[in-house]
Amino acid sequence: MGAQQVRDGFVGLYGAEPEGLWAAPGRVNLIGEHTDYNDGFVMPFALPHVTVAAVSRRTDGLLRLHSADVGGGASAPVELRVDELTPESDRDWTAYPAGVVWALREAGHAVTGADVHLASTVPAGAGLSSSAALEVVVALALNDLFELGLRGWQLARLCQRAENVYVGAPTGIMDQTASACCAEGHALFLDTRDLAQKQIPFDLAAEGMRLLVVDTRVKHAHSDGEYGKRRAGCEKGAALLGVDALRDVPYAKLDAVLGRLGDEEEVRRLVRHVVTEDERVERVVSLLESGDTRAIGPVLTEGHLSLRDDFRISCPELDLVVDTANASGALGARMTGGGFGGSAIVLAEETDVPAITKAIEEAFATAGFTTPRVFEAVPSAGARRLA
Ligand code: GLA
């Protein structure tokens, strides 16, 4: 769906031109999984897939929300009052944009209502941050229209608060920051403790490589509860070790630290994943900065094994992508995002892409799994105003 269609959709719904059009992308995470709520390092990049929003201000306290992607776009806009928004009152898609309005108002910003029409090309439920794209596009539009003067990382924080408190999902800060702050042709090296950012050039095509996203189309029903359990386990680990967050456990002292966890075997595995994953992010950054891009492949695969064996959030479909890709000549592969389904990424030489894709599709057919959706991910722009 193009920007013009979103503008036309807005006019059809609300009977006037929107004041503007904005876009915010989904993301894949190259490396740094389940580190963001441990104050650690992540390295996502933005996808070309975006959520587009057409938005106009209102001054009468009314928030009208409509999505072209819900119910075939045929339903009427949902009408809410900005002064009646209540956390965890809404289990529908509208909780995300409404949560952003709530978070902005909670932070003291005078958002007095809006008409919103949205359409997205970010695959939903695929672990590619369609919800962060939805939050960030609305936050950016309101930031511009109400002249709030907030920076990308500040919008990301408010969107995370919308998701944590209003929607009620205990996620970290990675997805919203990726959608708000990524730059075309770059991966974003983010320190989630202070939100310090560094854009790392990541142009695989120029070096004859490709990064594939394989959406397994698996969405595990219990994933939200499992995410919260992992997060709680990490917090328990930090408390047992007397640190603010697992980010504070030095990689060089990991063995000794793990020895201090006594019979807490589960916590030990979680701690080992987080501490080694932070080290993998730093290793990938230094490999990319020294121009040794192909060498990141094995680090990605190491990360997958850690998520599979220590963090225990993979699933048979994700493991099959990684194993098949690596057996067919990929440079490396791993699951990406929250886990329990969603997508995996595969780093490969351009010339090997057809054979690897075919091998994955055949392996899925043989296993009786739903045909995965495979596409190439090109590092794309972060959230922006279109018109
Ligand atoms: C989800 C969350 C992120 C992050 C990842 C795992 O995408 O929204 O905050 O924790 O899982 O790395």
Side-chain angles (χ1 to χ4, degrees):
M1 163 117 24
Q4 185 60 44
Q5 274 169 287
V6 180
R7 177 195 292 269
D8 293 347
F10 184 99
V11 174
L13 286 162
Y14 301 118
E17 287 283 326
E19 287 185 87
L21 286 160
W22 290 261
R27 63 97 189 93
V28 286
N29 188 19
L30 186 60
I31 189 83
E33 219 67 84
H34 287 267
T35 48
D36 63 351
Y37 51 81
N38 292 297
D39 278 4
F41 304 124
V42 296
M43 207 180 174
F45 65 85
L47 290 170
H49 307 70
V50 290
T51 298
V52 174
V55 185
S56 286
R57 269 168 301 182
R58 298 184 66 93
T59 52
D60 61 356
L62 198 60
L63 175 64
R64 298 198 289 182
L65 301 168
H66 187 269
S67 168
D69 309 318
V70 177
S75 54
V78 172
E79 298 198 359
L80 301 165
R81 296 217 46 93
V82 293
D83 51 3
E84 288 172 3
L85 298 173
T86 312
E88 300 205 35
S89 59
D90 184 353
R91 290 283 156 222
D92 215 350
W93 71 273
T94 46
Y96 296 94
V100 169
V101 173
W102 171 85
L104 284 166
R105 286 173 56 85
E106 274 268 309
H109 302 295
V111 175
T112 53
D115 287 338
V116 181
H117 174 55
L118 299 145
S120 187
T121 57
V122 186
L128 301 173
S129 294
S130 59
S131 45
L134 178 53
E135 292 156 4
V136 170
V137 79
V138 170
L140 184 64
L142 297 174
N143 186 47
D144 284 354
L145 290 175
F146 288 95
E147 297 177 3
L148 305 179
L150 298 168
R151 314 255 316 264
W153 66 269
Q154 293 172 302
L155 294 177
R157 273 264 184 257
L158 286 162
C159 290
Q160 184 199 16
R161 191 163 150 70
E163 185 144 350
N164 290 172
V165 182
Y166 196 89
V167 178
T171 54
I173 189 72
M174 169 170 69
D175 304 344
Q176 294 83 1
T177 313
S179 187
C181 301
C182 277
E184 193 175 352
H186 293 77
L188 176 70
F189 175 38
L190 177 72
D191 181 337
T192 64
R193 171 158 279 170
D194 60 5
L195 299 190
Q197 303 182 7
K198 191 170 182 189
Q199 302 285 353
I200 310 285
F202 192 57
D203 183 358
L204 292 173
E207 296 186 64
M209 283 173 281
R210 293 286 186 267
L211 195 124
L212 301 178
V213 175
V214 183
D215 170 10
T216 63
R217 299 179 185 257
V218 178
K219 173 103 184 85
H220 277 243
H222 301 301
S223 57
D224 290 351
E226 291 295 329
Y227 184 99
K229 274 191 212 160
R230 298 304 184 285
R231 184 170 182 156
C234 289
E235 281 159 8
K236 181 175 177 188
L240 288 171
L241 295 168
V243 291
D244 285 344
L246 292 183
R247 185 277 180 58
D248 298 312
V249 175
Y251 177 72
K253 295 192 179 150
L254 181 59
D255 285 345
V257 167
L258 292 177
R260 283 170 44 206
L261 285 169
D263 56 6
E264 294 280 357
E265 185 47 33
E266 197 183 324
V267 174
R268 192 188 339 270
R269 281 192 282 99
L270 298 178
V271 172
R272 186 163 53 210
H273 166 72
V274 172
V275 177
T276 59
E277 184 79 349
D278 273 337
E279 187 275 338
R280 280 186 285 273
V281 179
E282 294 189 283
R283 221 180 330 148
V284 165
V285 171
S286 61
L287 287 169
L288 290 178
E289 287 188 328
S290 60
D292 203 357
T293 310
R294 282 177 173 76
I296 73 171
V299 190
L300 303 186
T301 303
E302 255 179 60
H304 182 77
L305 301 183
S306 180
L307 289 161
R308 184 190 71 185
D309 300 335
D310 272 346
F311 222 68
R312 302 198 180 174
I313 57 166
S314 189
C315 66
E317 291 83 353
L318 289 166
D319 293 340
L320 188 61
V321 175
V322 171
D323 293 344
T324 309
N326 282 333
S328 329
L331 295 160
R334 59 181 288 273
M335 54 151 283
T336 188
F340 306 103
S343 299
I345 55 173
V346 175
L347 181 70
E349 302 291 353
E350 184 186 347
T351 46
D352 291 335
V353 165
I356 292 170
T357 306
K358 188 161 173 275
I360 292 170
E361 285 168 356
E362 283 174 1
F364 269 57
T366 305
F369 296 156
T370 306
T371 310
R373 197 170 96 92
V374 185
F375 61 93
E376 191 194 321
V378 181
S380 300
R384 67 250 180 216
R385 188 169 190 158
L386 301 175

